[in-house]
Coordinates of all heavy atoms in Angstrom, one line a residue:
M1 N 31.6 -0.7 -18.0 CA 31.5 0.3 -18.9 C 32.5 1.4 -18.8 O 32.8 1.8 -17.8 CB 30.0 0.9 -18.8 CG 29.6 1.8 -19.9 SD 27.8 2.3 -19.7 CE 27.9 3.8 -20.4
A2 N 33.0 1.8 -20.0 CA 34.0 2.8 -19.8 C 33.4 4.2 -19.6 O 32.3 4.5 -19.9 CB 34.7 2.8 -21.3
K3 N 34.2 5.0 -19.0 CA 33.8 6.4 -18.6 C 33.7 7.1 -20.0 O 34.4 7.1 -20.8 CB 34.8 6.9 -17.8 CG 34.6 8.5 -17.3 CD 33.6 8.5 -16.1 CE 33.5 9.8 -15.6 NZ 32.3 10.2 -15.1
D4 N 32.5 7.8 -20.1 CA 32.2 8.6 -21.2 C 33.2 9.9 -21.3 O 33.2 10.6 -20.3 CB 30.8 9.0 -21.2 CG 30.3 9.6 -22.6 OD1 31.2 9.9 -23.4 OD2 29.2 9.6 -22.9
K5 N 33.9 10.0 -22.4 CA 34.8 11.2 -22.4 C 34.1 12.5 -22.7 O 34.6 13.6 -22.5 CB 35.9 11.0 -23.4 CG 36.8 9.8 -23.1 CD 37.8 9.6 -24.2 CE 38.7 8.3 -23.8 NZ 39.5 8.0 -24.8
N6 N 32.9 12.4 -23.2 CA 32.1 13.5 -23.6 C 30.7 13.4 -23.0 O 29.7 13.2 -23.7 CB 31.9 13.8 -25.1 CG 33.3 14.1 -25.7 OD1 34.1 15.0 -25.2 ND2 33.7 13.4 -26.8
P7 N 30.5 13.4 -21.6 CA 29.1 13.2 -21.1 C 28.1 14.1 -21.6 O 26.9 13.7 -21.6 CB 29.4 13.4 -19.5 CG 30.7 14.2 -19.4 CD 31.5 13.8 -20.6
E8 N 28.5 15.3 -21.9 CA 27.5 16.4 -22.4 C 26.9 15.9 -23.8 O 25.7 16.3 -24.1 CB 28.1 17.7 -22.6 CG 29.0 18.0 -23.6 CD 30.5 17.4 -23.3 OE1 30.7 17.1 -22.2 OE2 31.3 17.4 -24.2
K9 N 27.5 15.0 -24.5 CA 27.0 14.5 -25.7 C 26.2 13.1 -25.5 O 25.8 12.6 -26.5 CB 28.1 14.3 -26.8 CG 28.7 15.7 -27.1 CD 29.8 15.5 -28.1 CE 30.4 16.8 -28.5 NZ 31.4 16.8 -29.4
T10 N 26.2 12.6 -24.4 CA 25.6 11.3 -24.1 C 24.1 11.5 -24.3 O 23.5 12.4 -23.8 CB 25.8 10.8 -22.7 OG1 27.2 10.6 -22.5 CG2 25.2 9.5 -22.4
P11 N 23.5 10.6 -25.1 CA 22.0 10.7 -25.2 C 21.3 10.7 -23.8 O 21.6 9.9 -23.0 CB 21.6 9.4 -26.1 CG 22.9 9.1 -26.7 CD 24.0 9.4 -25.8
G12 N 20.4 11.6 -23.6 CA 19.7 11.7 -22.3 C 20.5 12.6 -21.3 O 20.0 12.9 -20.3
G13 N 21.7 13.0 -21.7 CA 22.4 14.0 -20.8 C 23.4 13.2 -20.0 O 23.7 12.0 -20.1
S14 N 24.2 14.1 -19.3 CA 25.4 13.5 -18.6 C 25.0 12.7 -17.4 O 25.8 11.9 -17.0 CB 26.2 14.7 -18.2 OG 25.4 15.5 -17.2
S15 N 23.8 12.8 -16.9 CA 23.4 11.9 -15.8 C 23.0 10.5 -16.3 O 22.8 9.6 -15.4 CB 22.2 12.5 -15.1 OG 21.1 12.6 -15.9
V16 N 22.8 10.2 -17.6 CA 22.5 8.8 -18.1 C 23.8 8.1 -18.3 O 24.7 8.5 -19.1 CB 21.7 9.0 -19.4 CG1 21.4 7.7 -20.0 CG2 20.3 9.7 -19.1
K17 N 23.8 6.9 -17.7 CA 25.0 6.1 -17.8 C 25.2 5.2 -19.0 O 26.3 4.8 -19.3 CB 25.2 5.3 -16.5 CG 25.3 6.1 -15.2 CD 25.3 5.3 -14.0 CE 25.3 6.2 -12.7 NZ 25.2 5.4 -11.5
D18 N 24.0 4.8 -19.6 CA 24.1 4.0 -20.8 C 23.2 4.7 -21.8 O 22.0 4.4 -22.0 CB 23.5 2.6 -20.4 CG 23.6 1.6 -21.5 OD1 23.8 1.9 -22.7 OD2 23.6 0.4 -21.3
G19 N 23.9 5.5 -22.6 CA 23.1 6.3 -23.6 C 22.5 5.5 -24.7 O 21.4 5.9 -25.2
E20 N 23.2 4.5 -25.1 CA 22.6 3.5 -26.1 C 21.3 2.9 -25.8 O 20.4 3.0 -26.5 CB 23.7 2.5 -26.4 CG 23.2 1.5 -27.5 CD 24.2 0.3 -27.6 OE1 25.5 0.6 -27.5 OE2 23.9 -0.8 -28.0
L21 N 21.3 2.4 -24.5 CA 20.0 1.7 -24.1 C 19.0 2.8 -23.9 O 17.8 2.6 -24.2 CB 20.3 1.1 -22.7 CG 19.0 0.4 -22.1 CD1 18.5 -0.6 -23.0 CD2 19.6 -0.2 -20.8
Y22 N 19.3 4.0 -23.3 CA 18.4 5.2 -23.1 C 17.7 5.5 -24.4 O 16.5 5.6 -24.5 CB 19.1 6.4 -22.6 CG 18.3 7.6 -22.6 CD1 17.5 7.8 -21.5 CD2 18.3 8.5 -23.6 CE1 16.7 9.0 -21.3 CE2 17.6 9.7 -23.6 CZ 16.7 9.9 -22.4 OH 15.9 11.0 -22.4
E23 N 18.5 5.7 -25.5 CA 17.9 6.0 -26.8 C 17.0 4.9 -27.3 O 16.0 5.2 -27.9 CB 19.0 6.2 -27.9 CG 19.7 7.5 -27.8 CD 18.8 8.7 -28.0 OE1 18.2 8.7 -29.0 OE2 18.7 9.6 -27.1
R24 N 17.3 3.6 -27.2 CA 16.5 2.6 -27.6 C 15.2 2.5 -26.8 O 14.1 2.4 -27.5 CB 17.2 1.3 -27.4 CG 16.5 0.1 -28.2 CD 17.3 -1.2 -28.3 NE 17.4 -1.8 -27.0 CZ 18.7 -2.1 -26.5 NH1 19.8 -1.8 -27.2 NH2 18.8 -2.7 -25.4
L25 N 15.2 2.8 -25.5 CA 14.0 2.8 -24.7 C 13.1 4.1 -25.1 O 11.9 3.9 -25.2 CB 14.4 2.9 -23.2 CG 15.0 1.7 -22.7 CD1 15.6 1.9 -21.3 CD2 14.1 0.6 -22.5
R26 N 13.7 5.2 -25.5 CA 12.9 6.3 -25.9 C 12.2 6.0 -27.2 O 11.1 6.4 -27.4 CB 13.8 7.5 -26.0 CG 14.3 8.1 -24.6 CD 13.2 8.7 -23.9 NE 12.7 9.9 -24.6 CZ 11.5 10.3 -24.7 NH1 10.5 9.6 -24.1 NH2 11.0 11.4 -25.3
E27 N 13.0 5.4 -28.1 CA 12.4 5.1 -29.5 C 11.2 4.1 -29.3 O 10.3 4.1 -30.1 CB 13.5 4.4 -30.3 CG 14.5 5.5 -30.8 CD 15.7 4.8 -31.5 OE1 15.7 3.5 -31.7 OE2 16.6 5.5 -31.8
E28 N 11.3 3.3 -28.3 CA 10.1 2.3 -28.0 C 8.9 3.0 -27.3 O 7.9 2.4 -27.2 CB 10.6 1.2 -27.0 CG 11.5 0.3 -27.7 CD 12.1 -0.7 -26.6 OE1 11.7 -0.7 -25.5 OE2 12.9 -1.6 -27.0
G29 N 9.1 4.3 -27.1 CA 7.9 5.0 -26.4 C 8.0 5.3 -25.0 O 7.0 5.9 -24.4
N30 N 9.0 4.9 -24.3 CA 9.2 5.2 -22.8 C 9.5 6.6 -22.5 O 10.0 7.3 -23.4 CB 10.3 4.3 -22.3 CG 9.9 2.8 -22.3 OD1 9.0 2.3 -21.6 ND2 10.6 2.0 -23.1
S31 N 9.1 7.0 -21.4 CA 9.2 8.4 -20.9 C 10.7 8.6 -20.7 O 11.5 7.7 -20.5 CB 8.5 8.7 -19.7 OG 9.1 8.0 -18.6
K32 N 11.1 10.0 -20.7 CA 12.5 10.3 -20.4 C 12.9 9.7 -19.1 O 14.0 9.1 -19.0 CB 12.7 11.7 -20.5 CG 12.5 12.3 -21.9 CD 12.6 13.8 -21.8 CE 12.1 14.5 -23.1 NZ 12.2 15.9 -23.1
S33 N 12.1 10.0 -18.0 CA 12.6 9.5 -16.7 C 12.6 8.0 -16.6 O 13.5 7.5 -15.9 CB 11.6 10.2 -15.6 OG 10.3 9.7 -15.8
K34 N 11.7 7.3 -17.2 CA 11.7 5.9 -17.2 C 13.0 5.3 -17.9 O 13.6 4.4 -17.4 CB 10.4 5.3 -17.7 CG 10.4 3.7 -17.6 CD 9.1 3.2 -18.1 CE 9.0 1.7 -18.0 NZ 7.7 1.2 -18.5
S35 N 13.2 5.9 -19.1 CA 14.3 5.4 -19.9 C 15.7 5.7 -19.1 O 16.5 4.7 -19.1 CB 14.4 6.2 -21.2 OG 13.2 5.9 -22.0
A36 N 15.8 6.8 -18.5 CA 17.0 7.1 -17.8 C 17.2 6.1 -16.6 O 18.2 5.7 -16.3 CB 16.9 8.5 -17.3
A37 N 16.1 5.9 -15.9 CA 16.1 5.0 -14.7 C 16.6 3.6 -15.1 O 17.4 3.0 -14.4 CB 14.8 5.0 -13.9
I38 N 16.0 3.2 -16.3 CA 16.4 1.7 -16.6 C 17.8 1.7 -17.2 O 18.6 0.8 -16.8 CB 15.4 1.3 -17.8 CG1 14.0 1.1 -17.1 CG2 15.9 0.1 -18.4 CD1 12.9 0.9 -18.2
A39 N 18.2 2.7 -17.9 CA 19.6 2.8 -18.4 C 20.6 2.8 -17.3 O 21.6 2.2 -17.4 CB 19.7 4.0 -19.4
N40 N 20.3 3.6 -16.3 CA 21.2 3.8 -15.2 C 21.3 2.4 -14.4 O 22.3 2.0 -13.9 CB 20.9 4.9 -14.3 CG 21.2 6.3 -15.0 OD1 22.0 6.3 -15.9 ND2 20.6 7.4 -14.5
A41 N 20.1 1.8 -14.2 CA 20.1 0.5 -13.5 C 20.8 -0.5 -14.2 O 21.6 -1.3 -13.6 CB 18.7 0.2 -13.2
A42 N 20.7 -0.6 -15.5 CA 21.5 -1.5 -16.2 C 22.9 -1.2 -16.1 O 23.7 -2.2 -16.2 CB 21.0 -1.4 -17.7
A43 N 23.4 0.0 -16.2 CA 24.8 0.3 -16.1 C 25.3 -0.1 -14.7 O 26.5 -0.4 -14.7 CB 25.0 1.8 -16.4
N44 N 24.5 -0.1 -13.7 CA 25.0 -0.5 -12.4 C 25.0 -1.9 -12.2 O 25.7 -2.4 -11.2 CB 24.1 0.2 -11.3 CG 24.4 1.7 -11.3 OD1 25.4 2.2 -11.6 ND2 23.3 2.4 -10.8
S45 N 24.2 -2.7 -13.0 CA 24.3 -4.1 -12.8 C 24.5 -4.7 -14.3 O 25.6 -4.8 -14.7 CB 23.0 -4.6 -12.3 OG 21.9 -4.3 -13.1
S46 N 23.5 -5.4 -14.8 CA 23.6 -5.8 -16.1 C 22.2 -5.7 -16.7 O 21.1 -5.6 -16.1 CB 23.9 -7.3 -16.0 OG 22.9 -8.1 -15.6
R47 N 22.3 -5.6 -18.1 CA 21.0 -5.4 -18.8 C 20.0 -6.6 -18.6 O 18.9 -6.5 -18.4 CB 21.2 -5.2 -20.3 CG 21.9 -3.9 -20.7 CD 22.1 -3.7 -22.1 NE 22.7 -2.4 -22.4 CZ 23.0 -2.0 -23.6 NH1 22.6 -2.7 -24.6 NH2 23.5 -0.8 -23.8
K48 N 20.6 -7.8 -18.6 CA 19.8 -9.0 -18.4 C 19.0 -8.9 -17.0 O 17.8 -9.2 -16.8 CB 20.7 -10.2 -18.4 CG 19.8 -11.5 -18.3 CD 20.7 -12.7 -18.5 CE 20.1 -14.0 -18.5 NZ 19.4 -14.4 -17.3
E49 N 19.9 -8.6 -16.0 CA 19.2 -8.4 -14.7 C 18.1 -7.4 -14.6 O 17.0 -7.7 -14.0 CB 20.3 -8.0 -13.7 CG 20.2 -8.7 -12.4 CD 21.4 -8.4 -11.5 OE1 22.5 -8.9 -11.7 OE2 21.2 -7.4 -10.6
V50 N 18.3 -6.2 -15.2 CA 17.3 -5.1 -15.2 C 16.1 -5.7 -16.0 O 14.9 -5.4 -15.5 CB 17.9 -3.9 -15.8 CG1 16.7 -2.9 -16.0 CG2 18.9 -3.4 -14.8
G51 N 16.3 -6.4 -17.1 CA 15.2 -6.9 -17.8 C 14.2 -7.8 -17.1 O 13.0 -8.0 -17.5
E52 N 14.8 -8.5 -16.1 CA 14.0 -9.5 -15.3 C 13.2 -8.8 -14.2 O 12.3 -9.4 -13.6 CB 14.9 -10.5 -14.7 CG 15.6 -11.3 -15.8 CD 16.6 -12.3 -15.2 OE1 17.0 -12.1 -14.0 OE2 17.2 -13.0 -16.0
K53 N 13.5 -7.5 -13.9 CA 12.8 -6.7 -12.9 C 11.5 -6.1 -13.4 O 11.3 -6.2 -14.6 CB 13.7 -5.6 -12.3 CG 15.0 -6.1 -11.6 CD 15.7 -4.9 -11.0 CE 17.0 -5.4 -10.4 NZ 17.9 -4.2 -10.1
G54 N 10.8 -5.5 -12.6 CA 9.7 -4.7 -13.1 C 8.4 -5.4 -12.8 O 8.2 -6.6 -12.6
G55 N 7.4 -4.5 -12.9 CA 6.0 -5.0 -12.6 C 5.2 -5.4 -14.0 O 5.9 -5.6 -14.9
S56 N 4.0 -5.4 -13.8 CA 3.2 -5.8 -15.1 C 2.1 -4.7 -15.2 O 0.9 -5.0 -15.5 CB 2.5 -7.1 -14.7 OG 1.7 -7.1 -13.5
A57 N 2.5 -3.4 -15.2 CA 1.7 -2.4 -15.4 C 1.1 -2.4 -16.9 O 2.0 -2.7 -17.8 CB 2.3 -1.0 -15.1
E58 N 0.0 -2.0 -17.0 CA -0.6 -1.9 -18.4 C 0.0 -0.7 -19.1 O 0.4 0.3 -18.6 CB -2.1 -1.7 -18.3 CG -2.9 -2.8 -17.7 CD -4.4 -2.5 -17.6 OE1 -4.7 -1.3 -17.8 OE2 -5.2 -3.4 -17.5
S59 N -0.1 -0.8 -20.5 CA 0.3 0.3 -21.3 C -0.7 1.4 -21.1 O -1.8 1.2 -20.8 CB 0.3 -0.2 -22.7 OG 0.4 0.9 -23.6
Y60 N -0.1 2.7 -21.3 CA -1.1 3.8 -21.2 C -2.2 3.6 -22.1 O -3.3 4.1 -21.8 CB -0.3 5.1 -21.4 CG 0.5 5.6 -20.4 CD1 1.7 6.2 -20.6 CD2 0.1 5.5 -19.0 CE1 2.6 6.7 -19.5 CE2 0.8 6.1 -18.0 CZ 2.0 6.6 -18.3 OH 2.9 7.2 -17.2
D61 N -2.0 2.9 -23.3 CA -3.1 2.8 -24.2 C -4.3 2.1 -23.6 O -5.4 2.2 -24.1 CB -2.6 2.0 -25.5 CG -1.6 2.8 -26.2 OD1 -1.7 4.0 -26.4 OD2 -0.5 2.1 -26.6
E62 N -4.1 1.2 -22.7 CA -5.1 0.5 -21.9 C -5.9 1.3 -20.8 O -6.9 0.9 -20.4 CB -4.6 -0.7 -21.4 CG -3.7 -1.7 -22.4 CD -4.6 -2.1 -23.5 OE1 -5.8 -2.5 -23.2 OE2 -4.2 -2.2 -24.6
W63 N -5.3 2.4 -20.5 CA -5.9 3.2 -19.4 C -7.1 3.9 -19.9 O -7.1 4.3 -21.1 CB -4.8 4.2 -18.9 CG -3.7 3.6 -18.1 CD1 -3.1 2.3 -18.3 CD2 -3.0 4.3 -17.1 NE1 -2.1 2.2 -17.4 CE2 -2.0 3.3 -16.6 CE3 -3.0 5.5 -16.5 CZ2 -1.0 3.7 -15.7 CZ3 -2.1 5.8 -15.5 CH2 -1.2 4.9 -15.1
T64 N -8.0 4.3 -19.1 CA -9.1 5.2 -19.3 C -8.6 6.6 -19.4 O -7.6 7.0 -18.8 CB -10.2 5.1 -18.5 OG1 -9.8 5.6 -17.1 CG2 -10.8 3.7 -18.3
K65 N -9.4 7.6 -20.0 CA -8.9 8.9 -20.1 C -8.8 9.5 -18.6 O -8.0 10.3 -18.2 CB -9.9 9.7 -20.9 CG -9.5 11.3 -21.0 CD -10.4 12.1 -21.9 CE -9.9 13.6 -21.8 NZ -10.8 14.4 -22.6
D66 N -9.8 9.1 -17.8 CA -9.8 9.6 -16.4 C -8.6 9.1 -15.7 O -8.0 9.9 -14.9 CB -11.1 9.0 -15.6 CG -12.4 9.8 -16.0 OD1 -12.3 10.9 -16.6 OD2 -13.4 9.2 -15.8
E67 N -8.1 7.9 -15.8 CA -6.9 7.4 -15.2 C -5.7 8.2 -15.6 O -4.9 8.5 -14.9 CB -6.8 5.9 -15.5 CG -7.8 4.9 -14.8 CD -7.8 3.5 -15.3 OE1 -7.5 3.3 -16.4 OE2 -8.0 2.7 -14.5
L68 N -5.7 8.4 -17.0 CA -4.6 9.2 -17.6 C -4.5 10.6 -17.0 O -3.5 11.1 -16.6 CB -4.7 9.3 -19.1 CG -4.6 7.9 -19.8 CD1 -5.0 8.0 -21.3 CD2 -3.1 7.5 -19.8
Y69 N -5.8 11.2 -16.9 CA -5.8 12.5 -16.4 C -5.3 12.6 -14.9 O -4.5 13.5 -14.5 CB -7.3 13.1 -16.4 CG -7.4 14.4 -15.7 CD1 -7.1 15.5 -16.5 CD2 -7.8 14.5 -14.5 CE1 -7.2 16.8 -16.0 CE2 -7.8 15.9 -13.8 CZ -7.6 17.0 -14.7 OH -7.7 18.3 -14.0
E70 N -5.7 11.5 -14.1 CA -5.3 11.5 -12.7 C -3.8 11.4 -12.6 O -3.1 12.0 -11.8 CB -5.9 10.3 -12.0 CG -7.3 10.5 -11.7 CD -8.0 9.3 -11.0 OE1 -7.3 8.5 -10.4 OE2 -9.3 9.2 -11.1
R71 N -3.2 10.6 -13.5 CA -1.7 10.4 -13.4 C -1.0 11.7 -13.9 O 0.0 12.1 -13.3 CB -1.3 9.3 -14.4 CG 0.2 9.0 -14.5 CD 0.7 8.6 -13.1 NE 2.1 8.3 -13.2 CZ 3.1 8.6 -12.3 NH1 2.6 9.0 -11.2 NH2 4.3 8.3 -12.4
A72 N -1.5 12.4 -14.9 CA -1.1 13.6 -15.4 C -1.1 14.7 -14.2 O -0.2 15.5 -14.2 CB -1.9 14.2 -16.6
Q73 N -2.2 14.5 -13.4 CA -2.4 15.5 -12.3 C -1.3 15.3 -11.3 O -0.7 16.2 -10.7 CB -3.8 15.3 -11.7 CG -4.2 16.4 -10.8 CD -5.7 16.3 -10.4 OE1 -6.2 15.2 -10.5 NE2 -6.2 17.3 -10.0
E74 N -1.0 14.0 -11.0 CA 0.0 13.6 -10.1 C 1.4 14.2 -10.5 O 2.1 14.6 -9.6 CB 0.2 12.1 -10.0 CG -1.0 11.4 -9.3 CD -0.9 9.9 -9.4 OE1 0.1 9.4 -9.9 OE2 -2.0 9.2 -8.9
L75 N 1.7 14.1 -11.8 CA 2.9 14.6 -12.3 C 2.9 16.2 -12.7 O 3.9 16.6 -13.1 CB 3.3 13.9 -13.6 CG 3.4 12.3 -13.3 CD1 3.7 11.6 -14.6 CD2 4.6 12.1 -12.4
D76 N 1.8 16.8 -12.5 CA 1.6 18.3 -12.6 C 1.8 18.6 -14.1 O 2.6 19.6 -14.4 CB 2.5 19.0 -11.6 CG 2.1 20.4 -11.5 OD1 0.9 20.7 -11.7 OD2 2.9 21.3 -11.2
I77 N 1.4 17.9 -15.0 CA 1.5 18.2 -16.4 C 0.5 19.3 -16.8 O -0.6 19.3 -16.6 CB 1.3 16.9 -17.3 CG1 2.3 15.9 -17.0 CG2 1.1 17.4 -18.7 CD1 2.1 14.5 -17.7
D78 N 1.1 20.4 -17.4 CA 0.4 21.6 -17.7 C -0.6 21.4 -18.9 O -0.2 20.6 -19.8 CB 1.4 22.8 -18.1 CG 2.1 23.4 -16.9 OD1 1.7 23.3 -15.9 OD2 3.3 23.8 -17.2
G79 N -1.7 21.9 -18.8 CA -2.6 21.8 -20.0 C -3.4 20.5 -20.0 O -4.1 20.2 -21.0
R80 N -3.3 19.7 -19.0 CA -3.9 18.4 -19.0 C -5.4 18.4 -19.2 O -6.0 17.5 -19.8 CB -3.5 17.6 -17.7 CG -4.0 18.2 -16.5 CD -3.5 17.5 -15.3 NE -3.8 18.2 -14.1 CZ -3.0 19.2 -13.5 NH1 -1.9 19.5 -14.0 NH2 -3.4 19.7 -12.4
S81 N -6.1 19.4 -18.6 CA -7.6 19.5 -18.6 C -8.2 19.7 -20.0 O -9.2 19.4 -20.3 CB -8.1 20.6 -17.7 OG -7.7 21.9 -18.2
E82 N -7.3 20.2 -20.9 CA -7.7 20.4 -22.3 C -7.2 19.3 -23.3 O -7.6 19.3 -24.4 CB -7.2 21.8 -22.8 CG -7.5 23.0 -22.0 CD -8.9 23.3 -22.0 OE1 -9.6 23.1 -23.1 OE2 -9.6 23.7 -20.9
M83 N -6.5 18.3 -22.7 CA -6.0 17.3 -23.5 C -7.0 16.1 -23.8 O -7.8 15.7 -23.0 CB -4.7 16.7 -22.9 CG -3.6 17.6 -22.8 SD -2.2 16.8 -22.2 CE -1.0 18.1 -22.1
S84 N -6.8 15.6 -25.1 CA -7.5 14.3 -25.5 C -6.8 13.2 -24.9 O -5.6 13.3 -24.3 CB -7.5 14.2 -27.0 OG -6.2 14.0 -27.5
K85 N -7.3 11.9 -25.0 CA -6.7 10.8 -24.4 C -5.3 10.5 -25.1 O -4.3 10.4 -24.4 CB -7.5 9.6 -24.7 CG -7.0 8.3 -24.1 CD -7.8 7.0 -24.3 CE -7.1 5.8 -23.9 NZ -8.0 4.6 -23.9
D86 N -5.2 10.7 -26.4 CA -4.0 10.5 -27.1 C -2.9 11.5 -26.7 O -1.7 11.2 -26.5 CB -4.1 10.6 -28.6 CG -4.8 9.3 -29.1 OD1 -4.8 8.3 -28.5 OD2 -5.4 9.4 -30.2
E87 N -3.4 12.8 -26.5 CA -2.5 13.9 -26.1 C -2.0 13.6 -24.6 O -0.8 13.8 -24.3 CB -3.1 15.2 -26.1 CG -3.4 15.8 -27.5 CD -4.3 16.9 -27.7 OE1 -5.2 17.1 -26.7 OE2 -4.1 17.7 -28.6
L88 N -2.9 13.0 -23.7 CA -2.4 12.7 -22.4 C -1.4 11.6 -22.4 O -0.3 11.6 -21.7 CB -3.6 12.2 -21.5 CG -4.5 13.3 -21.1 CD1 -5.9 12.8 -20.5 CD2 -3.8 14.2 -20.0
I89 N -1.5 10.6 -23.3 CA -0.6 9.5 -23.4 C 0.7 10.0 -23.8 O 1.8 9.7 -23.2 CB -1.1 8.4 -24.3 CG1 -2.3 7.7 -23.8 CG2 -0.1 7.5 -24.7 CD1 -3.0 6.8 -24.7
T90 N 0.7 10.9 -24.9 CA 2.0 11.6 -25.3 C 2.7 12.3 -24.2 O 3.8 12.2 -24.0 CB 1.7 12.4 -26.5 OG1 1.1 11.5 -27.6 CG2 3.0 13.0 -27.1
A91 N 2.0 13.2 -23.6 CA 2.5 14.0 -22.5 C 3.0 13.1 -21.3 O 4.1 13.5 -20.8 CB 1.4 14.9 -21.9
L92 N 2.4 12.0 -21.0 CA 2.9 11.1 -20.0 C 4.2 10.4 -20.4 O 5.1 10.2 -19.6 CB 1.8 10.2 -19.5 CG 0.7 10.7 -18.7 CD1 -0.5 9.8 -18.6 CD2 1.1 11.2 -17.4
R93 N 4.2 10.0 -21.7 CA 5.4 9.4 -22.1 C 6.6 10.3 -22.2 O 7.7 9.9 -22.0 CB 5.1 8.7 -23.4 CG 4.2 7.5 -23.3 CD 4.0 6.8 -24.7 NE 3.3 5.5 -24.5 CZ 2.5 5.0 -25.4 NH1 2.4 5.6 -26.6 NH2 1.8 3.8 -25.1
D94 N 6.3 11.6 -22.5 CA 7.4 12.5 -22.7 C 7.9 13.2 -21.4 O 8.8 13.8 -21.4 CB 7.0 13.6 -23.7 CG 6.9 13.2 -25.1 OD1 7.4 12.1 -25.4 OD2 6.3 13.9 -25.9
N95 N 7.1 12.9 -20.3 CA 7.5 13.5 -19.0 C 8.7 12.8 -18.4 O 8.9 11.7 -18.4 CB 6.2 13.4 -18.1 CG 6.6 14.1 -16.8 OD1 7.4 15.0 -16.8 ND2 5.9 13.7 -15.8

């Protein structure tokens, strides 16, 4: 991959090595940190290799509100005690 001449304009910021992949992952609903981690891993190896990795975690939509709340607590998301299940999902994905 060629060195980005304008890293400040790279989607996700200058620390993201594959801005195109990062944007696609964000559009799919992945969190910023997860998208950056996947994009950087893909830039360090290959997209195909990264796609074969990973676990089988359920989508946040499948989690109970209590499970979502516990995860939000682990990530220290502000306002979590007042959030609905949908709001917790959005906050976790945006974190």
Side-chain angles (χ1 to χ4, degrees):
M1 187 171 150
K3 179 87 172 145
D4 193 344
K5 294 178 183 174
N6 297 310
E8 68 280 355
K9 294 182 180 178
T10 299
S14 60
S15 64
V16 174
K17 297 176 185 172
D18 188 337
E20 178 186 329
L21 179 57
Y22 173 86
E23 282 298 305
R24 193 168 66 239
L25 292 165
R26 288 291 292 142
E27 289 170 4
E28 290 175 2
N30 291 293
S31 71
K32 293 175 186 177
S33 60
K34 181 176 181 179
S35 297
I38 293 170
N40 288 341
N44 288 334
S45 59
S46 72
R47 289 183 182 182
K48 182 178 187 288
E49 217 175 279
V50 170
E52 293 170 355
K53 296 180 184 176
S56 58
E58 295 178 343
S59 165
Y60 283 139
D61 296 318
E62 305 298 320
W63 291 28
T64 66
K65 184 177 178 186
D66 288 339
E67 292 169 327
L68 294 166
Y69 178 83
E70 286 177 24
R71 182 64 178 142
Q73 194 171 25
E74 290 171 8
L75 297 173
D76 199 28
I77 294 176
D78 290 332
R80 63 187 174 267
S81 62
E82 304 294 321
M83 292 183 185
S84 68
K85 180 177 178 177
D86 288 336
E87 290 169 328
L88 285 166
I89 291 170
T90 299
L92 289 167
R93 286 182 176 157
D94 288 345
N95 184 29

